[in-house]
């Protein structure tokens, strides 16, 4: 039953509120709906951020190439859903579970690899032969691109 339906019901009983009262009631309803929507969005943002943060995504480099691609894709889907104003907890939870299952048996990435990944992007002159070997050893050599500045 909407506001107009309620007004029509009151009119049928001979007790119609003034236009001013109806406008004031509609504004209160709109304000409340807006406040609830903001609170839900804040709760969604907080929850999704917590859920994504709890996933051991540092293990992604330790997966085989096919599973790495899938994990990266699902991780990006999760991040997109978290930023979306269209809230779908069931879809988010299904994606989170998919990524969790992909990562559950993967080993932790070595600190040296994580440190190297955190330094990117960086100039080629700052990469050592050992850094390149580490990328290759963990199947990340296809993920790294060399580009010329200004080109």
């Amino acid at each position: 039953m909407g506001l107009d339906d309620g007004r029509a019901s009151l009119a049928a009983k001979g007790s119609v509120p003034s236009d001013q009262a109806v406008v004031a009631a509609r504004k209160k309803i709109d304000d409340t709906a807006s406040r609830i929507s903001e609170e839900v969005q804040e709760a969604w943002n907080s929850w999704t951020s917590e859920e994504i943060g709890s996933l051991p995504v540092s293990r992604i480099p330790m997966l085989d190439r096919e599973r790495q691609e899938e994990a990266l894709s699902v991780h990006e889907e999760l991040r997109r859903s978290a930023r979306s104003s269209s809230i779908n907890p069931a879809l988010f939870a299904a994606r989170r579970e998919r990524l969790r299952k992909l990562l559950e048996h993967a080993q932790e990435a070595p600190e040296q690899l994580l440190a190297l990944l955190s330094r990117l992007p960086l100039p080629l002159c700052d990469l050592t032969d050992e850094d390149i070997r580490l990328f290759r050893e963990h199947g990340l050599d296809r993920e790294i691109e060399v580009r010329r500045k200004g080109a």
Side-chain angles (χ1 to χ4, degrees):
M1 180 182 233
L3 193 58
D4 291 332
D5 293 336
R7 187 171 184 188
S9 175
L10 289 172
K13 294 177 185 175
S15 174
V16 178
S18 68
D19 285 345
Q20 185 178 3
V22 171
V23 168
R26 188 178 300 262
K27 182 175 179 350
K28 285 182 182 179
I29 291 169
D30 290 345
D31 290 348
T32 301
S34 197
R35 180 181 50 77
I36 290 170
S37 178
E38 287 173 13
E39 289 174 4
V40 166
Q41 189 66 50
E42 285 176 23
W44 172 255
N45 292 344
S46 175
W47 180 72
T48 56
S49 177
E50 212 172 279
E51 290 298 309
I52 291 171
S54 73
L55 293 166
V57 294
S58 63
R59 295 179 182 180
I60 291 175
M62 303 307 292
L63 297 170
D64 63 57
R65 178 130 178 96
E66 185 178 310
R67 286 198 171 96
Q68 270 185 30
E69 289 174 3
E70 183 180 357
L72 289 169
S73 174
V74 174
H75 187 240
E76 182 54 35
E77 290 171 7
L78 278 173
R79 292 173 42 202
R80 261 196 318 274
S81 335
R83 292 187 305 262
S84 174
S85 60
S86 173
I87 296 173
N88 188 335
L91 181 60
F92 182 89
R95 286 175 175 158
R96 180 201 61 222
E97 185 61 15
R98 189 167 138 213
L99 183 55
R100 189 193 65 72
K101 282 191 181 285
L102 281 168
L103 298 174
E104 74 183 345
H105 297 296
Q107 296 178 8
E108 289 293 330
E111 284 299 318
Q112 187 180 6
L113 178 61
L114 294 175
L116 177 56
L117 290 170
S118 72
R119 291 177 24 220
L120 297 177
L122 68 144
L124 181 60
C125 64
D126 291 344
L127 277 177
T128 65
D129 290 341
E130 176 62 21
D131 294 336
I132 294 168
R133 186 200 59 74
L134 195 57
F135 283 139
R136 287 190 172 136
E137 180 180 313
H138 295 289
L140 295 175
D141 51 331
R142 293 188 175 137
E143 308 271 329
I144 308 298
E145 291 182 0
V146 176
R147 295 185 190 180
R148 189 171 167 207
K149 284 185 178 181

